[in-house]
Amino acid sequence: MEIDPFIFRLSIFILSIFIGYYVVWSVTPSLHTPLMSVTNAISSVIIVGAIIAGLAGNSDDTFTTSNTLGLLAILLAAVNIFGGFLVTQRMLQMYKKKKKDK
Amino acid sequence: MSANLSAIFYLISGVLFILALRGLSSPETSRQGNFFGILGMTIAISVTFLSIGSFSSGLTYVLIFLLIGGLIGAFIAYKIPMTAMPELVAGFHSLVGLSAVLVAISAFLNPEAFNLGSSGSIKLASLIEMSIGAAVGAITFSGSIIAFLKLQGIMSGSPITFRGQHLFNALLLISIIVLTYLLCSTQSSNYFWILLVVSFLIGFLLIIPIGGADMPVVISMLNSYSGWAAAGIGFTLENTALIITGALVGSSGAILSYIMCKGMNRSFFNVILGGFGAAEQSTSSQGKEYRPVKSGNAEDAAFLMKNASSVIIVPGYGMAVAQAQHALREMVDTLKKNDIKVTYAIHPVAGRMPGHMNVLLAEANVPYDEVFELEEINNDFANADVAFVIGANDVTNPAAKSDPQSPIYGMPVLDVEKCKSVLFVKRSLSPGYAGIDNDLFYKENTLMLFADAKKMTEDITKNL
């Protein structure tokens, strides 16, 4: 009997939860705010779905409801991706060690 | 590009996202981590374009929307003050939630494009996954909007409760399951729309009873939800990158919620069921008798600190509100010139989001190796000469250790009272967010400095 591909995806999902669990526990508490902003940025990988939705159909009619919703989702996700990564970058830039020449 | 090849690339970007989080285990590796994250995202987006192959005229619009969104995002990222990070993150969560909803609707209306069957006969598994993604996305969206409004001060931070709230919420949650079942058995779009409306309503009702002081938990929780929503959509789209990311973000948010709850010694359900601040205010205002406090001015404070050999700074939300972090660092610089040892003590729930104080101190150029967490520094208070509490309150309240009647009893607190003397910068004697009087104000060795945090810190620096 063949295994449903869903089971494979479920396995990836479950294992990723465990990876996430251990990786996040090792994040130092002082970086919890950047952790939130970067997780926010990467969860916007949902843009992948939005792009498919935005380009769906292949017809001459570019603005079916489904496409328009996709385009809107692209806009929102893009705000998140750029905003999230850049603000994380900006924060991480500020974390400095004590100067040695003191 | 073949489906197998793109699946491998999605897997690679998923792995890069794991590395992005891994990098945050120390500030040195964190910037590299962020780069991995950006790389992963770039791969995921490029592969999506390549796998579609034949482009319709929509491509131009897709790129335009991508560009506009990117510019808005970049603009916000550069303009936002660090004190506004909690609002920003809440706002961003709402965007993730809403885009999950939009993608789900789009997939529901045009299932052929996503390879999910045809309209009216969508594959059962896809339909369930889609409903979960859409419902969680909608909850994330409306919940984050409320959190955003509360953090911005547009909406009052005090909890809003009504009778039968919990029962009503429970009924709504059950109705989601029923609606999903009906949707799957009838394929009728009406159920899908009702499902969305109910989910928006739940997100709204879930957050309004939670008070301002519990915002760190709320933000972490919504972070988690946005991850589960992404994972739900990932299952629908059969996309590994989304599934991995969703799981990572979901568990990350859940862990942060747990850490925040532990920082307040409250169970997750206790926070979620809400109404903390409102319930306590009535009891604490009754039995309050007048007690004398010692108050001083900047000169007194400067004198105390000048004669100290070690000072521990305890920052809290008040420092963020007064934007006092830069003035504080100047004061510390002056102290250091006088050979006084200065460290910072940060409570897990100080501020309005996890790690909020650390970012503000980093912004003011405070080196991160002078900043310590509660467990690392709590024993040092006994040996320190001065504790300088700026904008913090409940996290220093000794009642959490001594008074079983206190609503915050059992919460881990900073042992500020063990210092030889305590300087408490505060605008008035009003209780903190939890609505509890702080015994520390009336202690023999406490000197209250009633002023705006920023102004007081500047005055002290002048007197040093």
Side-chain angles (χ1 to χ4, degrees):
Chain A
M1 219 174 90
E2 234 180 298
I3 297 171
D4 192 316
F6 171 78
I7 302 299
F8 282 114
R9 287 191 283 277
L10 190 66
S11 321
I12 293 173
F13 180 64
I14 302 288
L15 290 175
S16 301
I17 292 179
F18 277 90
I19 294 174
Y21 180 84
Y22 288 107
V23 168
V24 170
W25 270 118
S26 73
V27 171
T28 159
S30 66
L31 292 174
H32 276 163
T33 298
L35 172 68
M36 298 202 89
S37 61
V38 87
T39 49
N40 192 265
I42 64 173
S43 58
S44 311
V45 74
I46 202 153
I47 198 170
V48 165
I51 294 173
I52 300 174
L55 289 174
N58 255 342
S59 63
D60 293 329
D61 183 13
T62 323
F63 291 105
T64 63
T65 322
S66 165
N67 287 7
T68 316
L69 292 174
L71 289 176
L72 217 54
I74 291 174
L75 184 78
L76 299 178
V79 172
N80 237 323
I81 292 172
F82 283 80
F85 279 124
L86 289 173
V87 87
T88 311
Q89 189 74 15
R90 207 180 124 204
M91 273 191 272
L92 294 177
Q93 223 79 53
M94 299 185 310
Y95 280 83
K96 289 188 196 90
K97 248 190 165 159
K98 209 180 321 194
K99 283 193 204 86
K100 283 207 179 88
D101 55 12
K102 243 182 175 175
Chain B
M1 194 182 278
S2 83
N4 284 336
L5 190 59
S6 41
I8 287 176
F9 275 111
Y10 283 133
L11 182 64
I12 292 173
S13 67
V15 171
L16 285 167
F17 291 148
I18 296 173
L19 293 174
L21 298 194
R22 179 81 189 111
L24 291 171
S25 57
S26 98
E28 284 110 81
T29 55
S30 61
R31 281 174 282 259
Q32 193 192 19
N34 199 38
F35 171 73
F36 283 138
I38 296 172
L39 190 65
M41 187 62 76
T42 317
I43 293 178
I45 293 176
S46 320
V47 169
T48 310
F49 278 118
L50 291 174
S51 64
I52 292 176
S54 63
F55 295 119
S56 66
S57 57
L59 181 66
T60 337
Y61 295 103
V62 168
L63 292 176
I64 290 173
F65 275 75
L66 193 66
L67 191 71
I68 297 175
L71 285 175
I72 299 174
F75 180 76
I76 296 173
Y78 281 109
K79 283 284 163 195
I80 192 92
M82 284 300 143
T83 41
M85 278 317 289
E87 292 95 303
L88 178 79
V89 170
F92 276 177
H93 285 155
S94 73
L95 298 184
V96 177
L98 189 57
S99 40
V101 173
L102 294 177
V103 173
I105 298 176
S106 179
F108 184 76
L109 293 176
N110 188 3
E112 290 93 346
F114 293 88
N115 221 350
L116 305 175
S118 59
S119 228
S121 63
I122 301 173
K123 280 186 271 178
L124 181 66
S126 310
L127 206 53
I128 297 173
E129 292 153 3
M130 206 186 284
S131 317
I132 295 174
V136 181
I139 293 173
T140 312
F141 172 69
S142 54
S144 303
I145 293 285
I146 300 299
F148 177 79
L149 293 178
K150 283 194 170 191
L151 286 162
Q152 273 282 13
I154 297 171
M155 208 173 133
S156 155
S158 58
I160 299 164
T161 45
F162 55 88
R163 277 183 62 184
Q165 193 164 21
H166 302 324
L167 186 69
F168 188 58
N169 286 351
L171 286 176
L172 283 178
L173 279 173
I174 295 169
S175 77
I176 289 230
I177 300 169
V178 176
L179 283 166
T180 312
Y181 173 77
L182 289 173
L183 174 67
C184 293
S185 53
T186 64
Q187 297 263 351
S188 154
S189 60
N190 287 339
Y191 290 117
F192 188 68
W193 305 127
I194 302 174
L195 178 77
L196 281 178
V197 172
V198 173
S199 306
F200 279 124
L201 195 61
I202 291 184
F204 174 74
L205 290 171
L206 214 53
I207 307 302
I208 53 165
I210 304 181
D214 292 333
M215 275 306 154
V217 183
V218 172
I219 293 196
S220 317
M221 188 178 86
L222 291 167
N223 186 233
S224 183
Y225 287 178
S226 70
W228 303 130
I233 302 293
F235 274 103
T236 319
L237 304 182
E238 313 188 339
N239 184 304
T240 335
L242 253 175
I243 294 176
I244 295 178
T245 315
L248 287 179
V249 177
S251 54
S252 160
I255 291 175
L256 288 177
S257 317
Y258 170 78
I259 295 176
M260 292 302 113
C261 287
K262 220 177 99 208
M264 297 192 290
N265 188 39
R266 298 176 60 197
S267 76
F268 186 65
F269 286 102
N270 184 306
V271 175
I272 296 308
L273 296 179
F276 186 49
E280 306 311 334
Q281 252 148 19
S282 52
T283 50
S284 66
S285 56
Q286 283 169 0
K288 199 191 274 178
E289 78 274 37
Y290 180 78
R291 287 194 280 176
V293 292
K294 279 201 291 184
S295 76
N297 57 23
E299 275 172 57
D300 305 330
F303 177 78
L304 266 172
M305 283 204 262
K306 233 189 295 186
N307 291 308
S309 62
S310 66
V311 174
I312 300 180
I313 310 230
V314 181
Y317 186 60
M319 182 187 82
V321 174
Q323 302 264 6
Q325 65 271 33
H326 297 282
L328 180 68
R329 210 249 322 153
E330 275 168 38
M331 184 187 92
V332 170
D333 283 349
T334 320
L335 288 174
K336 278 193 203 151
K337 268 184 214 138
N338 294 320
D339 281 326
I340 298 165
K341 186 174 168 265
V342 186
T343 43
Y344 299 80
I346 295 189
H347 191 277
V349 293
R352 285 290 172 274
M353 74 185 294
H356 192 189
M357 289 301 119
N358 301 79
V359 170
L360 294 182
L361 291 178
E363 188 199 11
N365 276 324
V366 172
Y368 62 81
D369 41 8
E370 287 176 12
V371 183
F372 297 95
E373 302 300 317
L374 175 97
E375 305 88 56
E376 297 173 311
I377 201 165
N378 225 2
N379 292 330
D380 296 356
F381 281 107
N383 305 320
D385 296 313
V386 176
F388 186 73
V389 184
I390 175 166
N393 183 2
D394 295 331
V395 298
T396 63
N397 196 338
K401 288 177 287 190
S402 54
D403 178 12
Q405 300 299 314
S406 171
I408 57 166
Y409 182 70
M411 168 172 141
V413 287
L414 293 157
D415 296 333
V416 175
E417 76 280 1
K418 288 187 182 156
C419 270
K420 288 202 189 73
S421 44
V422 180
L423 295 170
F424 218 115
V425 185
K426 209 171 176 311
R427 264 191 282 190
S428 68
L429 270 184
S430 65
Y433 250 100
I436 313 152
D437 206 12
N438 192 341
D439 281 340
L440 201 57
F441 300 161
Y442 314 103
K443 285 247 152 85
E444 192 61 24
N445 57 351
T446 306
L447 188 67
M448 298 298 293
L449 306 167
F450 293 115
D452 174 72
K454 189 176 175 191
K455 199 174 165 300
M456 176 53 74
T457 319
E458 283 165 353
D459 287 350
I460 295 174
T461 314
K462 273 180 218 146
N463 282 296
L464 276 170

